[in-house]
């Protein structure tokens, strides 16, 4: 048998280097460093990466998982303030809600998902152009000398495009280099792998991309666009695709490549703690870390450990077919039976898995139907209760309106009766006043007639121009009568002392008469009146 590949050792070196190189990303989400930095409780990619000299002072203006300074909660040694002050022994938890502390990435993700709520019909197509300096262009350079520095690596990779993000570990003799595009990285890997550099043969391969996740348990209606659209809530996504079989049908799995490793770790943690759905189906996403294998080159002969004694032992015999009933044939058949047993068990497990999936699908649909039916019942009961409440309110309003109408009618009836009584009283008062006026006018006319008669008797003889031939009463000339009678020196008394119904102040019912203002007596005594 051939010796095992030296891949685990190289992979261990790569993982160690990746852990050192991606330390800020690990601190960003998956492995937050709560405490340690001088002013940041959350030592993330955008926060303060430098460890501070004050281990008892954390929190304060610590950035959250997205690099925003929203303030931290006050710790044991911190005081209240607009941003939480200095929290003791690290900043607050992301889920803590202080008066002005951060809401945390959970609320931010929920806010983004709430903004995405609704149908996902006809999503726009993704941009197919490759992004510059993505995670797929990162190369691992192994077996370098201790004297190699960044400038020499830059000069070595300069013919293959732009480069950035140099990381060199001189203790373990490896480095990482990021090239601008994938095609340039493949060309650099193909041409520089195995060359002699500073007295050592370089080992170049693509570095494991820790910012990649695999999404399982997808339905047949999940596309590349929906996968990109859904997982963009955890951070910037560089590439996403749904894995299909040889016929182009989806296999229920997908791959999402983030721009930063912390976003991938955060997505794995969140989807493992909760149930993340992409469609209306109740099949949650199964998310796990994924490192795509670079198996295009395989395992060339130059990587074999030829100095190992097992190498000559396994290579001393070439390819052959075993003879029937031979020792080699017997154990070869046992190996084949073991693989067949594994294949049968794997097939049975797949069938059982498919049956369980169908059973769970049926239970899910039935439970969904029951749940929707119960929700409709609850809605119907709520609507009935609402209708009853509205009906009761309408009855109360109707009763109140009827009572108000009756009160208004009663009030209008009383007002009409009062108005009628007032009109009747006014008519009676007017009739009474008319009668009094008539009586007053009659009395006044009678007084005038009597006064004229008295004036006629009281006039001197000179005022009469002539006498009747028969010796009757003399005829008075009007002009002489008016000249002798001065009305300004007379006033009318007696009638004003009478009220509407009779004499006032207990006075008699006599008629009024004219009196002189100067209280002068007539020259002639009054004569006896005859009625």
């Amino acid at each position: 048998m051939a010796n095992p590949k030296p891949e685990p050792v190289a992979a261990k070196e790569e993982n160690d280097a990746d852990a050192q190189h991606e330390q800020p990303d690990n601190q960003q989400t998956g492995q937050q460093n709560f405490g340690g930095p001088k002013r940041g409780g959350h030592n993330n990619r955008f926060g303060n990466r430098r460890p501070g000299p004050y281990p008892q002072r954390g929190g304060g203006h610590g950035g959250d998982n997205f690099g925003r300074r929203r303030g931290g909660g006050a710790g044991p040694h911190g005081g209240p303030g607009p941003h939480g002050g200095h929290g003791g022994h690290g900043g607050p938890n992301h889920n803590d809600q202080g008066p002005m502390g951060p809401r945390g990435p959970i609320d931010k993700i929920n806010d983004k998902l709430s903004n995405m709520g609704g149908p996902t019909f006809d999503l726009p197509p993704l941009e197919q152009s490759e992004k510059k300096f993505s995670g797929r262009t990162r190369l691992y350079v192994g077996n370098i000398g201790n004297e190699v520095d960044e400038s020499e690596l830059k000069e070595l990779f300069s013919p293959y495009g732009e480069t950035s993000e140099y990381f060199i570990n001189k203790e373990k003799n490896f480095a990482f280099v990021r090239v601008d595009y994938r095609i340039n990285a493949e060309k650099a890997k193909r041409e520089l792998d195995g060359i002699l550099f500073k007295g050592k043969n370089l080992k170049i391969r693509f570095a494991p991309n820790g910012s990649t996740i695999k999404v399982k348990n997808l339905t047949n209606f999940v596309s590349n666009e929906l996968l990109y659209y859904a997982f963009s809530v955890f951070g910037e996504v560089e590439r996403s695709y749904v894995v299909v079989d040889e016929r182009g049908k989806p296999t229920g799995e997908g791959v999402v490549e983030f721009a930063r490793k912390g976003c991938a770790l955060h997505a794995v943690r969140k989807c493992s703690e909760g149930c993340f759905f992409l469609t209306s189906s109740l099949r949650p996403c199964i998310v796990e870390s994924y490192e795509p294998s670079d198996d295009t080159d395989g395992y060339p002969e130059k990587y074999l450990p030829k100095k190992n004694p097992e190498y000559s032992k396994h290579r001393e015999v070439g390819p052959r077919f075993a003879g029937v009933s031979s020792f080699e044939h017997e154990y070869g058949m046992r190996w084949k039976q073991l693989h067949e047993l594994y294949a049968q068990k794997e097939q049975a497990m797949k069938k059982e898995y498919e049956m369980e999936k169908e059973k769970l699908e049926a239970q899910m649909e039935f439970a969904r139907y029951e749940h929707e039916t119960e929700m409709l019942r609850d809605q119907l009961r709520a609507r009935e209760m609402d209708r009853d409440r509205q009906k009761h309110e309408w009855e109360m309003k109707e009763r109140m309106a009827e009572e108000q109408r009756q009160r208004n009618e009663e009030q209008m009836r009383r007002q009409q009766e009062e108005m009628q009584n007032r009109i009747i009283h006014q008519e009676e008062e007017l009739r009474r006043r008319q009668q009094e006026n008539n009586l007053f006018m009659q009395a006044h006319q009678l007084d005038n007639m009597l006064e004229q008669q008295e004036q006629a008797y009281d006039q001197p003889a000179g005022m009469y121009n002539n006498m009747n031939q028969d010796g009757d009463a003399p005829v008075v000339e009007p002009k002489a009568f008016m000249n002798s009678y001065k009305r300004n020196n007379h006033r009318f008394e007696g009638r004003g002392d009478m009220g509407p119904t009779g004499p006032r102040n207990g006075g008699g019912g006599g008629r009024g008469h004219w009196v002189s203002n100067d209280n002068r007596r007539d020259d002639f005594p009054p004569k006896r009146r005859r009625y």
Side-chain angles (χ1 to χ4, degrees), residues 237-481:
V237 178
E238 290 184 348
R239 192 168 70 118
S240 64
Y241 60 92
V242 176
V243 181
V244 296
D245 56 9
E246 63 277 1
R247 297 182 180 180
K249 294 183 179 180
T251 60
E253 296 182 354
V255 177
V256 179
E257 297 178 1
F258 288 95
R260 292 182 296 275
K261 186 177 180 179
C263 300
L265 295 176
H266 185 57
V268 172
R269 185 177 69 253
K270 283 298 298 172
C271 294
S272 300
E273 293 175 355
C275 296
F276 188 47
F277 302 99
L278 300 186
T279 61
S280 61
S281 175
L282 299 181
R283 294 174 59 174
C285 297
I286 308 299
V287 181
E288 59 186 20
S289 298
Y290 174 67
E291 293 184 2
S293 59
D294 184 21
D295 55 357
T296 57
D297 294 337
Y299 192 54
E301 184 77 14
K302 58 185 177 181
Y303 290 154
L304 289 174
K306 296 181 180 181
K307 295 181 180 180
N308 193 334
E310 294 290 333
Y311 172 78
S312 57
K313 180 180 177 181
H314 284 274
R315 283 297 190 91
E316 65 184 4
V317 180
R320 66 197 180 279
F321 275 106
V324 181
S325 69
S326 64
F327 176 78
E328 294 178 346
H329 186 270
E330 179 182 356
Y331 276 89
M333 292 302 296
R334 288 187 180 183
W335 276 103
K336 293 178 69 175
Q337 291 174 2
L338 180 62
H339 279 275
E340 289 178 0
L341 180 62
Y342 175 79
Q344 291 176 3
K345 289 186 176 181
E346 185 179 12
Q347 189 68 21
M349 183 65 69
K350 287 182 179 180
K351 289 183 179 180
E352 185 179 359
Y353 174 69
E354 293 296 332
M355 291 176 61
E356 290 295 330
K357 281 177 60 177
E358 293 178 358
K359 181 180 178 181
L360 186 58
E361 287 279 353
Q363 292 178 355
M364 182 182 68
E365 293 299 329
F366 180 75
R368 182 199 293 273
Y369 174 77
E370 289 292 330
H371 178 67
E372 292 178 353
T373 305
E374 188 63 27
M375 288 181 62
L376 291 176
R377 290 197 187 101
D378 294 340
Q379 292 178 2
L380 182 60
R381 284 194 291 268
R383 291 180 64 181
E384 288 179 353
M385 293 177 62
D386 191 33
R387 289 289 182 84
D388 294 340
R389 181 181 57 80
Q390 290 181 358
K391 183 179 178 182
H392 181 67
E393 290 179 357
W394 291 340
E395 290 178 352
M396 290 292 295
K397 290 180 180 179
E398 232 179 280
R399 191 178 302 113
M400 292 175 63
E402 183 66 22
E403 293 177 356
Q404 184 67 24
R405 187 182 61 81
Q406 292 178 359
R407 287 195 296 269
N408 293 337
E409 290 180 354
E410 182 68 21
Q411 185 177 2
M412 290 178 64
R413 187 180 59 80
R414 287 197 299 267
Q415 290 178 357
Q416 290 178 359
E417 290 179 354
E418 292 177 358
M419 189 176 295
Q420 290 178 357
N421 294 333
R422 192 179 302 113
I423 291 173
I424 293 173
H425 179 70
Q426 290 177 357
E427 289 179 353
E428 291 178 353
E429 183 70 19
L430 182 60
R431 191 180 303 111
R432 184 182 58 78
R433 289 183 179 179
Q434 288 179 355
Q435 291 177 359
E436 288 181 355
N437 291 336
N438 293 334
L439 292 175
F440 176 76
M441 293 300 295
Q442 292 176 4
H444 185 63
Q445 290 176 1
L446 185 59
D447 288 340
N448 288 337
M449 293 174 61
L450 292 177
E451 190 69 25
Q452 289 177 4
Q453 289 179 4
E454 289 178 359
Q455 292 292 336
Y457 285 114
D458 293 339
Q459 291 296 327
M463 296 179 60
Y464 299 96
N465 294 331
N466 52 8
M467 298 290 292
N468 290 334
Q469 298 290 334
D470 298 333
D472 293 333
V475 178
V476 181
E477 294 182 1
K479 185 176 181 180
F481 177 76

Side-chain angles (χ1 to χ4, degrees), residues 14-31 43-45 49 134-135 138 165 167 174 176 178 207-211 258-265:
E14 293 171 0
N15 291 334
D16 294 340
D18 193 38
Q20 296 177 11
H21 185 62
E22 296 289 342
Q23 185 177 3
D25 288 341
N26 293 339
Q27 292 172 353
Q28 179 183 355
T29 52
Q31 303 170 1
N43 185 11
N44 53 24
R45 184 178 182 88
R49 302 183 185 178
S134 64
R138 193 159 166 259
E165 194 177 338
F167 176 81
F174 68 89
F176 284 105
R178 193 183 294 269
N209 190 4
S211 61
F258 288 95
R260 292 182 296 275
K261 186 177 180 179
C263 300
L265 295 176

Side-chain angles (χ1 to χ4, degrees), residues 43-61:
N43 185 11
N44 53 24
R45 184 178 182 88
F46 302 97
N48 186 7
R49 302 183 185 178
R50 188 180 44 167
Y54 305 102
Q56 299 295 328
R57 298 173 68 183
H61 299 279

Side-chain angles (χ1 to χ4, degrees), residues 79 88 97 104 106 130 149 153 159 162 190 251 254 284 306 313 348 379 381 389 410 464 528 530:
Q97 296 286 336
I106 297 178
E130 183 181 0
D149 56 5
L153 280 179
E162 300 180 15
R190 184 172 58 253
T251 60
K306 296 181 180 181
K313 180 180 177 181
Q379 292 178 2
R381 284 194 291 268
R389 181 181 57 80
E410 182 68 21
Y464 299 96
R528 187 176 181 180
R530 290 181 298 175

Side-chain angles (χ1 to χ4, degrees), residues 135-154:
R136 301 173 63 244
T137 62
R138 193 159 166 259
L139 293 176
Y140 165 81
V141 184
N143 197 23
I144 62 175
N146 296 331
E147 68 280 0
V148 177
D149 56 5
E150 181 177 337
S151 61
E152 294 176 349
L153 280 179
K154 187 174 183 180

